[in-house]
Amino acid sequence: MPITHTVELIAALTGVLLFRKYRQGNAKYFIYFLIYLTFFDFVCRYTSLVTEDGPLNFLIGTRFEKNHWLSTLFWKIGAIMFFSFYFSKILKNKRFKGIVKYAGYIFLLFSLIYIGLNWEVFFYKFFPVLGVLGAIVIFLCAVFYFIELLQSERILTFYKSLNFYISAAIFIWWLIITPIVFYDVYFTYEIGNSNRDWDFIFLRWQIYMFANIIMYSTFTFALIWCKPEND
């Protein structure tokens, strides 16, 4: 199992084992999200079975041979919608809550329209514009949370807050990853394309790996270290 999937699984299992600790607050939704990520990341690995002698060889040459479509739906759109929902739950300021909520709705609507207009390439490449817009939504969520934290007495005990670690981890992850989306053209699987930049692909893989390790390790630490918050 790749190391990124391992740290992701550890974070999800930690959440399951500590579910009773957080079940009374909004943190339970975050644990559900970790389980969701682990499940769909496992499903995305179906491409390893799409080989000449593999059980899914009937997908060779079809739109579903690669998992760009699934990754776009479950992560680039699904993760943004979750964090929009989650932060609309934990933020106290009504204006902040409203901005985050409607930013999520607008992002979802734009994503569906954009995919519809680019349906053919949806199965063969990622859409940088969705990565950038998704990052904006994430930055809004995290910045609003940090502003609220700085303006409240919770700043005195921020290091005990699960939501602080979640906000910091996703902010840093998207800050690291977002610039890469502009170069995703090198990571496409277009049929007949043999001129891919393998040096960039390897560098991209390394960046994603280290970013994922940092993010999921932070989630695991926070679930163990933090105390349930009174939402």
Side-chain angles (χ1 to χ4, degrees):
M1 180 182 294
I3 187 171
T4 53
H5 294 303
T6 301
V7 293
E8 181 182 53
L9 179 60
I10 290 174
L13 290 177
T14 302
V16 171
L17 293 174
L18 298 177
F19 184 81
R20 292 186 62 183
K21 175 182 176 181
Y22 294 102
R23 65 180 178 179
Q24 299 300 323
N26 289 319
K28 64 178 178 289
Y29 299 118
F30 181 68
I31 295 175
Y32 295 150
F33 178 65
L34 291 177
I35 298 172
Y36 158 86
L37 287 182
T38 303
F39 173 75
F40 274 98
D41 257 1
F42 177 78
V43 173
C44 275
R45 297 182 65 191
Y46 79 85
T47 54
S48 63
L49 304 177
V50 186
T51 59
E52 291 292 343
D53 56 349
L56 299 181
N57 57 5
F58 58 89
L59 293 179
I60 295 177
T62 70
R63 291 178 172 179
F64 304 102
E65 181 177 359
K66 301 300 178 182
N67 61 14
H68 291 75
W69 64 279
L70 186 58
S71 179
T72 296
L73 291 176
F74 102 86
W75 176 253
K76 292 185 180 294
I77 296 178
I80 302 303
M81 294 309 300
F82 167 76
F83 284 117
S84 175
F85 160 78
Y86 186 73
F87 278 86
S88 70
K89 300 283 287 185
I90 67 173
L91 291 171
K92 310 299 180 184
N93 185 295
K94 290 185 178 180
R95 179 177 297 179
F96 289 170
K97 291 168 72 77
I99 292 174
V100 166
K101 183 183 296 184
Y102 287 108
Y105 292 151
I106 293 172
F107 171 78
L108 177 61
L109 180 61
F110 176 85
S111 299
L112 295 177
I113 294 175
Y114 192 84
I115 290 173
L117 295 176
N118 297 273
W119 181 250
E120 290 303 320
V121 295
F122 170 58
F123 297 91
Y124 305 115
K125 64 182 293 186
F126 298 114
F127 297 133
V129 65
L130 299 188
V132 174
L133 293 179
I136 293 175
V137 176
I138 293 297
F139 292 153
L140 281 176
C141 293
V143 169
F144 286 163
Y145 174 80
F146 292 141
I147 292 174
E148 281 196 358
L149 188 64
L150 290 171
Q151 294 177 341
S152 69
E153 294 182 355
R154 290 178 294 162
I155 188 63
L156 300 176
T157 57
F158 74 92
Y159 57 90
K160 296 182 180 179
S161 170
L162 174 63
N163 293 328
F164 168 78
Y165 291 103
I166 293 174
S167 302
I170 64 172
F171 184 87
I172 293 173
W173 192 92
W174 259 273
L175 192 63
I176 294 173
I177 296 302
T178 300
I180 301 178
V181 303
F182 294 105
Y183 301 95
D184 267 345
V185 64
Y186 296 107
F187 201 63
T188 59
Y189 286 97
E190 295 177 358
I191 298 175
N193 179 15
S194 60
N195 297 318
R196 287 172 285 178
D197 188 335
W198 290 105
D199 290 333
F200 170 75
I201 291 175
F202 182 67
L203 175 62
R204 180 185 186 276
W205 172 80
Q206 287 182 311
I207 294 174
Y208 266 92
M209 180 182 70
F210 286 113
N212 285 339
I213 290 173
I214 293 172
M215 181 174 68
Y216 288 112
S217 296
T218 300
F219 292 160
T220 302
F221 164 78
L223 287 167
I224 296 172
W225 164 257
C226 298
K227 297 180 178 179
E229 297 186 49
N230 183 3
D231 298 316

